[in-house]
Amino acid sequence: MDPSRKRTIRFVVALSAAVLLAGALALTSFSASTEARQPSELVDAAPTPGTKYQLVGKVVAGYKTTGDTTHFRVRDRDGSVSVPVTYAGRLPDPFRADREIVIDVVKQGDVYVGQVGTLITKCPSKFTAEKTST
Amino acid sequence: MLAAGHACLIVAFAAAIYGIAASLYGAKARRREFVASGRRAVYAMAGATAVAFVLLEVAFVRSDFEYAVVASHSSTTTPLFYRLTAMWSSQEGSLLLWLFSLGLWSSLILFLTRHKLRALAPYATAVLLGFAAFFSGVMLFAESPFTRADRIVAEGAGLNPLLRDPGMMIHPPMLYSGYTLFAVPFAFAIAALITRRLDAEWIRSTRPFTLAAWCALGFGIVLGARWSYHELDWGGYWMWDPVENASLMPWLTATAFLHSVMIQERRGMLRTWNVSLVLGTGVLAILGTFLVRSGVLNSIHAFGASTLGVPFLILLGVMIAGSIYLVASRQEALKSEHRLDSLLSREAIFLLNNFVLVALCFVVFWGTFFPLIAEAFTGRQRNIGPPVYERFIVPLALILVLLAAVGPVIAWRRATAANLKRNLGGPALFGVLVLVVLLASGVSGSVTALIMFTLAGFVVGTVFQEFWRGTRARRAVAKEAVPVALVQLVKRNRRRYGGYLVHVGIIVLFVGVAASSSFKDVRDVALEPGQSANVGGREFTYVKPTSELVAAPNGRLERIVFGADLRVDGVAMHTSKDYFPSQDPTLGPVSRFFEGEATTEVALNASLGKDTWAAVAPDIAKLRPQIEEGDKVFGNAADDLTSDQANEFLAVALQGLTDAYAQDPPPARFRFEVNPLVTWIWIGSLIAVLGGILAGWPARRGMTKIASAKYAARVGKDVRVETETESVPA
């Protein structure tokens, strides 16, 4: 076979493999991903019960733990709109009022139920933006 | 001293700007004295930065709260070891550490190459000083570590307890060394493109730094994984967090470069690809630095938003645009000398290896930035979790391991069936033997893990075969004993055999990852003292609760500790949760201990087989009434007590609390884990780093002699032997 034709074939095969990989990655990502929302966006969007969302926001002071379950509210980073969340799992060590958290939730009734093991609290030291009071 | 530190930053910035101008003018006007002056500007920048670094460290050690950064990240009760590390727990301090590392490595490379690469050095100097000007400028105009505190406090906020880990002393400096060392090949690649001197000389001269960067960054990544492993809530040793991914991406592309550069050196091929890899690695290193500070992505390790997102984006834009322009406009000079002869050749295998590594990097990049990509397309951020990463990473990693077995032994240019059989037959059989032994031992349940173990056997077989053949050939020629022959073989071909050692290390690491992720046992349970739980074949027994008050070195009460003594298959273990007081003045004197930072000390019993891991979450709800009562009592008596009396009574009250917890403990929640072969992850990484150091260790000066045909027939065609004064008998 002509060497330049060989090279062209190899190039096309390599490019096709790359395109396939990228396509598979895109398809898998969009189908398996969770939508991230702040509390005000969740409230405005009237979420479908049973659909999972990734809630991002700050913990409002005054949360309570009863047995294994913690009841707390999460508010927008820069606002006051908040939603109630229940979480039946161990709280991460950095979990505190006014800390930013990320948690997967599913709406059940008027409350958002946090999925166990999905609660992440951002570490508060180092590059903090200006402190806001609760 | 604040003014002195600030002045040092000004000197560093000014030296960087001057050095850029002098270097470029010297290159253009062919004035060597200006080129030398530009190089000395690098030394001056490094020196000024070093002084600033020392000044800031001294401020932390002395707890000088006149410095805003010291007041917000350290305290008099912070142990000295952690006061030294607190500097880079802050944005400002970490930027200074970055600049300090850059100054150190830039000075070293320019000193070592001062008589070489004369055409490239001025441009490389300008690029390195460009980075220095950026970082010093950012500190001067946005985030200065030498900012005076608004008011001087008596006690600082302290270092976040989560960062009180020995890893804090070495993990960030290693990572930053890796990032800044990658700036060196980036700078020389830019210089090579500008001057169109694209032969292999600049690669050869910068290879030790590329290898050092690869080792440092890799070691830093593993240190971070080790730290994360024994921290609760950090997702084990790896959770595909954006900050973790940011450090992995340049390491992957650098790994690709270290392989494909051999093809350029041997056959003059892949020049565009190699220079693109080096430039891409430099860009990804800066991208990693940007991700930690920008707040654009949610991360457990990224600490909120800062004001540096835009400047970093501009820097990245300049780097990317400049790199693309230079590569595109130098295509003629980047033309390969040869073409790929056969898909069954070492060149093809290395190329495939590169594709896989770049594909891995792409998957990590895509997953990391997916929230922003999704937002660009759908208007909403979306996030993916570890399962999506693993769906692509695992098969790619398996292909990579297979290539690691084949690549080192397949012939250059064109391999024959006989060559393949001769070189791969034995190792492949060994891999199959490993599989048979594992299946016979009852290891099952994860097909991907079994494939990984089989391929690992294949790789180890290949490496062993290479060492065996090389030693045997050397013994045949030099009549040395086996150990001597082995040492001499490695000494005379450090790059090759160091590389084999790296492969072994990486394979051992992969085996540890495969075993621990596929055969891990985890359980969350609530236990009362005396109760047990069985996890992964191990019996975890909660023996008794523990509690204590811990004082700082200066005698002040530092934290309360509630813990648990455990017995696991007869071995005593202890886990605890430390409660540090909050600085919030609105909180009561007792409750502030339970509203501040808390950190769990994991119990870890590591072994070559299985690790036993336990973490406790004490239930302090029962203590709430006492805590509230304590606040009330102290609140009422505040005006009647002196400071010393208040501290004394507080200590008594807290002692009562801790005694009450120990005497009548509620059930505590535990997380128990049994993780097989995790220790081999750390061992494998150490082997890989040692292999990298060996591969990059400079050979003694002497004659390099290509083996004659007759000699080559005895020791193998691909062996290159460095001889000194004696020639080896043919």
Side-chain angles (χ1 to χ4, degrees):
Chain A
M1 192 188 284
D2 175 30
S4 71
R5 187 173 153 75
K6 246 196 227 177
R7 281 196 296 276
T8 307
I9 292 172
R10 287 172 188 164
F11 177 74
V12 168
V13 167
L15 193 60
S16 305
V19 168
L20 264 170
L21 172 68
L25 194 51
L27 197 65
T28 309
S29 306
F30 278 99
S31 59
S33 58
T34 315
E35 200 171 301
R37 303 230 183 181
Q38 291 208 66
S40 57
E41 291 166 337
L42 264 186
V43 167
D44 290 343
T48 315
T51 303
K52 196 163 63 170
Y53 297 90
Q54 192 176 71
L55 177 63
V56 182
K58 291 196 169 191
V59 178
V60 177
Y63 58 89
K64 285 187 171 23
T65 301
T66 320
D68 290 343
T69 305
T70 306
H71 306 270
F72 56 96
R73 296 189 74 87
V74 179
R75 64 170 176 84
D76 284 4
R77 271 191 209 114
D78 303 320
S80 59
V81 175
S82 66
V83 295
V85 176
T86 62
Y87 184 71
R90 196 187 47 76
L91 294 179
D93 285 343
F95 186 91
R96 288 285 178 279
D98 211 36
R99 293 270 167 89
E100 192 159 333
I101 63 160
V102 179
I103 181 172
D104 287 356
V105 296
V106 171
K107 190 162 189 220
Q108 282 182 15
D110 293 332
V111 166
Y112 293 87
V113 178
Q115 306 303 288
V116 177
T118 65
L119 175 58
I120 295 171
T121 309
K122 286 198 192 179
C123 188
S125 80
K126 218 165 170 173
F127 320 131
T128 50
E130 276 188 58
K131 265 193 164 183
T132 57
S133 54
T134 326
Chain B
M1 298 315 277
L2 275 170
H6 194 72
C8 287
L9 287 182
I10 294 174
V11 167
F13 182 70
I17 299 295
Y18 166 75
I20 293 170
S23 299
L24 292 176
Y25 175 73
K28 282 285 179 212
R30 296 176 193 268
R31 301 277 300 272
R32 277 164 86 171
E33 63 273 25
F34 280 91
V35 172
S37 183
R39 189 175 65 245
R40 285 193 288 273
V42 173
Y43 304 154
M45 179 275 297
T49 307
V51 172
F53 184 90
V54 168
L55 285 172
L56 190 57
E57 280 286 44
V58 166
F60 271 95
V61 168
R62 292 175 55 230
S63 295
D64 187 344
F65 299 132
E66 192 183 11
Y67 290 67
V69 69
V70 176
S72 55
H73 291 85
S74 185
S75 66
T76 58
T77 60
T78 304
L80 175 63
F81 182 88
Y82 293 115
R83 265 182 276 150
L84 288 168
T85 67
M87 189 189 114
W88 46 82
S89 76
S90 65
Q91 165 90 286
E92 304 89 336
S94 68
L95 287 170
L96 186 56
L97 177 63
W98 216 102
L99 185 63
F100 173 69
S101 294
L102 179 70
L104 181 66
W105 304 126
S106 301
S107 299
L108 187 60
I109 180 64
L110 291 174
F111 178 77
L112 290 174
T113 57
R114 64 193 184 284
H115 298 309
K116 296 191 283 188
L117 301 174
R118 288 187 192 276
L120 272 58
Y123 296 101
T125 304
V127 172
L128 291 169
L129 284 174
F131 286 124
F134 175 83
F135 278 87
S136 55
V138 154
M139 279 190 282
L140 271 175
F141 303 115
E143 301 278 353
S144 174
F146 300 103
T147 302
R148 192 179 305 275
D150 291 336
R151 61 182 184 90
I152 300 176
V153 295
E155 180 61 284
L159 179 66
N160 189 302
L162 277 173
L163 301 180
R164 286 200 187 194
D165 186 281
M168 189 60 182
M169 179 58 86
I170 187 160
H171 165 62
M174 271 290 147
L175 281 184
Y176 288 17
S177 288
Y179 288 145
T180 50
L181 278 163
F182 278 131
V184 170
F186 177 89
F188 277 88
I190 293 286
L193 285 166
I194 291 173
T195 57
R196 290 181 160 85
R197 289 175 187 254
L198 291 156
D199 53 20
E201 197 196 349
W202 71 270
I203 289 179
R204 261 198 296 275
S205 296
T206 57
R207 186 196 302 138
F209 286 82
T210 310
L211 206 40
W214 183 90
C215 288
L217 186 59
F219 195 50
I221 291 171
V222 171
L223 284 171
R226 177 96 176 99
W227 183 358
S228 189
Y229 177 57
H230 65 251
E231 282 295 337
L232 192 59
D233 304 319
W234 284 15
Y237 54 74
W238 197 265
M239 66 178 285
W240 300 108
D241 180 271
V243 170
E244 294 172 351
N245 297 344
S247 62
L248 184 60
M249 287 188 280
W251 188 86
L252 288 169
T253 53
T255 306
F257 171 71
L258 287 170
H259 286 84
S260 63
V261 72
M262 287 187 250
I263 302 179
Q264 180 171 341
E265 289 172 343
R266 184 94 178 189
R267 310 266 345 267
M269 293 164 61
L270 302 182
R271 286 179 170 167
T272 304
W273 177 256
N274 280 331
V275 79
S276 303
L277 278 176
V278 170
L279 296 176
T281 301
V283 168
L284 289 169
I286 298 295
L287 182 68
T289 311
F290 158 73
L291 264 183
V292 178
R293 292 149 210 287
S294 63
V296 293
L297 293 169
N298 290 321
S299 164
I300 201 165
H301 302 290
F303 303 129
S306 76
T307 55
L308 300 186
V310 170
F312 267 94
L313 275 176
I314 294 172
L315 174 63
L316 282 165
V318 167
M319 288 172 75
I320 293 168
S323 301
I324 292 173
Y325 167 75
L326 283 170
V327 172
S329 61
R330 266 58 172 174
Q331 278 304 293
E332 199 51 45
L334 287 168
K335 260 195 185 148
S336 291
E337 290 171 17
H338 298 102
R339 301 283 185 198
L340 191 65
D341 291 319
S342 165
L343 288 179
L344 265 185
S345 64
R346 194 174 297 194
E347 296 92 316
I349 296 297
F350 273 33
L351 194 53
L352 195 52
N353 154 288
N354 266 231
F355 285 161
V356 172
L357 284 163
V358 170
L360 281 166
C361 181
F362 178 73
V363 170
V364 175
F365 181 92
W366 176 272
T368 304
F369 286 95
F370 185 71
L372 301 177
I373 295 170
E375 190 174 22
F377 282 96
T378 67
R380 292 225 164 272
Q381 284 205 0
R382 300 185 72 92
N383 294 289
I384 57 176
V388 174
Y389 283 96
E390 283 154 17
R391 203 173 300 180
F392 293 89
I393 296 290
V394 170
L396 286 171
L398 290 174
I399 296 171
L400 195 66
V401 175
L402 176 62
L403 295 174
V406 175
V409 296
I410 194 170
W412 289 96
R413 298 192 66 176
R414 196 182 298 273
T416 61
N419 166 261
L420 288 173
K421 190 178 166 191
R422 181 177 162 267
N423 288 319
L424 298 176
L429 267 174
F430 183 71
V432 171
L433 183 64
V434 165
L435 175 64
V436 167
V437 166
L438 287 172
L439 289 172
S441 311
V443 176
S444 64
S446 172
V447 171
T448 49
L450 285 171
I451 295 174
M452 177 60 79
F453 298 149
T454 306
L455 292 174
F458 191 2
V459 172
V460 169
T462 302
V463 172
F464 176 79
Q465 177 181 268
E466 286 298 288
F467 274 91
W468 172 251
R469 284 182 177 171
T471 306
R472 189 180 60 186
R474 184 158 179 93
R475 287 194 70 210
V477 168
K479 313 287 184 220
E480 291 163 338
V482 168
V484 175
L486 180 62
V487 168
Q488 289 301 318
L489 177 75
V490 171
K491 264 175 75 174
R492 288 164 187 270
N493 214 329
R494 291 179 176 90
R495 189 178 176 189
R496 180 186 185 129
Y497 291 94
Y500 288 155
L501 208 56
V502 171
H503 279 194
V504 169
I506 296 296
I507 289 317
V508 168
L509 187 152
F510 276 10
V511 164
V513 169
S516 56
S517 52
S518 303
F519 302 109
K520 175 179 176 161
D521 282 290
V522 184
R523 207 169 141 200
D524 289 334
V525 292
L527 295 177
E528 290 191 9
Q531 289 184 331
S532 299
N534 192 296
V535 181
R538 300 234 156 125
E539 186 87 353
F540 289 77
T541 302
Y542 177 16
V543 176
K544 64 175 173 45
T546 63
S547 61
E548 63 176 316
L549 302 179
V550 177
N554 62 4
R556 295 178 64 172
L557 183 58
E558 185 188 54
R559 65 189 193 272
I560 296 173
V561 183
F562 289 142
D565 282 341
L566 303 169
R567 192 162 291 280
V568 184
D569 286 353
V571 176
M573 293 175 68
H574 178 77
T575 169
S576 63
K577 187 161 178 171
D578 297 6
Y579 296 86
F580 292 80
S582 166
Q583 302 300 311
D584 186 349
T586 64
L587 294 170
V590 178
S591 61
R592 70 188 183 97
F593 274 89
F594 299 98
E595 301 299 332
E597 297 299 337
T599 177
T600 300
E601 299 303 319
V602 165
L604 176 62
N605 188 7
S607 74
L608 293 178
K610 290 183 179 180
D611 280 10
T612 309
W613 190 105
V616 67
D619 183 359
I620 58 171
K622 235 172 129 178
L623 299 174
R624 285 285 168 203
Q626 282 172 277
I627 293 170
E628 286 164 12
E629 182 65 25
D631 284 343
K632 227 183 272 177
V633 166
F634 275 93
N636 291 337
D639 296 331
D640 302 329
L641 296 173
T642 64
S643 170
D644 285 343
Q645 284 175 325
N647 284 332
E648 195 184 322
F649 293 150
L650 179 62
V652 170
L654 292 172
Q655 188 65 55
L657 261 180
T658 54
D659 289 344
Y661 178 82
Q663 284 156 16
D664 184 22
R669 291 205 67 81
F670 292 92
R671 167 161 290 186
F672 296 135
E673 291 184 11
V674 176
N675 299 312
L677 302 188
V678 171
T679 301
W680 291 96
I681 297 174
W682 323 127
I683 292 174
S685 62
L686 269 176
I687 295 172
V689 169
L690 286 172
I693 293 171
L694 177 64
W697 199 265
R700 262 189 299 176
R701 290 183 192 280
M703 288 185 344
T704 300
K705 178 179 171 185
I706 305 292
S708 66
K710 193 171 178 184
Y711 182 65
R714 306 255 317 256
V715 301
K717 281 184 186 161
D718 293 335
V719 172
R720 169 179 288 197
V721 176
E722 284 188 41
T723 60
E724 303 223 0
T725 53
E726 300 174 29
S727 57
V728 178

